[in-house]
């Protein structure tokens, strides 16, 4: 992970809508806005504004906020009013977090489809065609993204499972508000490769050579690392179906780190033997991705020097990071970008790579 900061003079107008995407008003003056975009999950928003009757009316739980030039919008989930500071604080998450309000309430067999098609199908089944749909939600343009996958899933939280598929495929997903048509559009997208060794796009390199990286700290952590997943499928005792997947197939001895995965919830049903084993292997991939080595490089850089944010690079893109003095060169995906607006200035804080999670999930869900 790399964290970078830069400040420019900029102020964004905040527009407020109700859940039907009807405009309620505009907030032009505020103390601070922290707008955090994320590639593989829902981003967050935190707004600090004056405690006025107008702001109390606009900043209500369930209202939707967006800002000029942003493709994302956020649902307000928390409000705090403080008489001492005469300030109201609104917090929330981007619209894709609303998918957590629905579950995959049936058995879904996918004998072979692209990751994008799987994600679209799960949203269609769980949040659009269901008897209790998310009002106004539709599928956006299909782009044919991701490799082919075979899986079986049932009785899971929709949003959580989408984040797993996003991690497996390196595809981003979001729900975008169409305020003109009054629709919520679910779409899957993919960042561009701007790394050093590719030839199709402009190269973006953060390096001491370009004087756009300094105050760096590097850490690596293998505490949660697993090289092999042994997956136990349906059956009892010695009759259980067992498959194995690995991210380092040749790892042996102390270098081999095994993960036991109980996948008896995946049933053969109408799947062929080959498809059933492929579904078990997909589960193993999901679990191994939760147990990878974390490489974390944090640095201060200037994203508007040499390369311009949203022009040369954006959320989901892959760039090259070169800390020459330490012999570190890595191609990393931009998984998060925090935009901070306060005192008339704008600060950009990108995160390159996946940081160590705050908690380790040891369940098989």
């Amino acid at each position: 992970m790399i964290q970078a900061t830069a400040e420019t003079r900029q102020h964004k107008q905040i527009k407020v809508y109700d859940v039907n995407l009807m405009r309620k008003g505009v907030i032009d003056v505020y103390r601070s806005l922290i707008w955090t975009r994320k590639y593989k999950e829902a981003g967050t928003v935190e707004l600090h504004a004056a405690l006025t009757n107008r702001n109390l009316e606009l900043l209500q739980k369930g209202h939707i906020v967006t800002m000029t030039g942003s493709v994302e919008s956020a649902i307000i989930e928390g409000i705090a009013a403080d008489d001492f500071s005469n300030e109201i604080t609104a917090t929330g998450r981007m619209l894709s977090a609303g998918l957590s309000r629905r579950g995959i309430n049936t058995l879904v067999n996918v004998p072979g489809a692209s990751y994008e098609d799987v994600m679209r199908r799960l949203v269609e089944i769980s949040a659009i065609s269901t008897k209790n749909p998310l009002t106004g939600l539709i599928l956006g343009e299909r782009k044919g993204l991701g490799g082919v996958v075979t899986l079986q899933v049932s009785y899971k939280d929709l949003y959580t499972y989408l984040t797993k598929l996003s991690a497996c495929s390196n595809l981003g997903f979001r729900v975008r508000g169409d305020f003109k048509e009054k629709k919520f559009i679910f779409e899957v997208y993919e960042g561009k490769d701007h790394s050093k060794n590719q030839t199709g796009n402009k190269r973006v390199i953060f390096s001491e050579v370009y004087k756009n990286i300094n105050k760096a700290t590097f850490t690596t952590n293998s505490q949660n690392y697993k090289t092999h997943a042994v997956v136990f499928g349906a059956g009892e005792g010695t009759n259980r179906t067992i498959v194995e997947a690995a991210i380092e197939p040749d790892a042996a001895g102390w270098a081999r780190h095994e993960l036991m995965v109980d996948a008896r919830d995946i049933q053969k049903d109408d799947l062929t033997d080959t498809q059933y084993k492929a579904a078990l292997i997909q589960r193993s991939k999901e679990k191994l991705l939760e147990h990878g080595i974390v490489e974390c490089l944090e640095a201060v850089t200037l994203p508007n020097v040499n390369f311009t944010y949203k022009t040369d690079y954006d959320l989901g893109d892959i760039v090259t990071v070169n800390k020459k003095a330490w012999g570190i060169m890595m191609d990393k995906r931009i998984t998060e970008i925090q935009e901070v607006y306060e005192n008339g200035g704008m600060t950009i804080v990108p995160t390159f790579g996946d940081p160590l999670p705050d908690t380790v999930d040891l369940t098989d869900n």
Side-chain angles (χ1 to χ4, degrees), residues 227-232 241-246 248-249 251 256 258-260 277 280-281 284 288:
T227 62
H228 291 69
V230 182
V231 186
F232 299 86
T241 301
I242 302 175
V243 300
E244 182 178 298
E248 287 192 38
R256 180 183 172 103
E258 293 184 346
L259 174 67
M260 302 294 108
K277 289 183 178 179
L280 294 178
I281 290 174
S284 75
L288 284 172

Side-chain angles (χ1 to χ4, degrees), residues 28-60:
D28 288 309
V29 180
Y30 50 88
R31 181 176 68 81
S32 173
L33 171 65
I34 304 173
W35 191 269
T36 304
R37 309 169 63 204
K38 298 186 179 183
Y39 186 61
K40 300 178 182 178
E41 59 184 293
T44 61
V45 63
E46 181 177 325
L47 172 66
H48 299 263
L51 184 57
T52 65
N53 290 335
R54 179 57 175 164
N55 286 343
L56 282 169
E57 179 184 348
L58 290 176
L59 298 177
Q60 296 183 21

Side-chain angles (χ1 to χ4, degrees), residues 340-364:
V340 181
Y341 303 88
E342 55 187 2
N343 301 320
M346 174 186 180
T347 301
I348 301 294
V349 186
T351 297
F352 297 66
D354 294 306
L356 186 68
D358 295 330
T359 59
V360 177
D361 183 4
L362 298 179
T363 71
D364 283 329

Side-chain angles (χ1 to χ4, degrees), residues 299-312:
V300 175
T301 189
L302 300 176
N304 291 324
V305 173
N306 302 123
F307 309 108
T308 303
Y309 173 47
K310 288 190 176 181
T311 300
D312 298 320

Side-chain angles (χ1 to χ4, degrees), residues 82-98:
D82 188 338
D83 268 339
F84 180 76
S85 63
N86 195 36
E87 186 171 271
I88 182 172
T89 302
T91 57
R93 292 178 294 167
M94 301 304 177
L95 288 176
S96 59

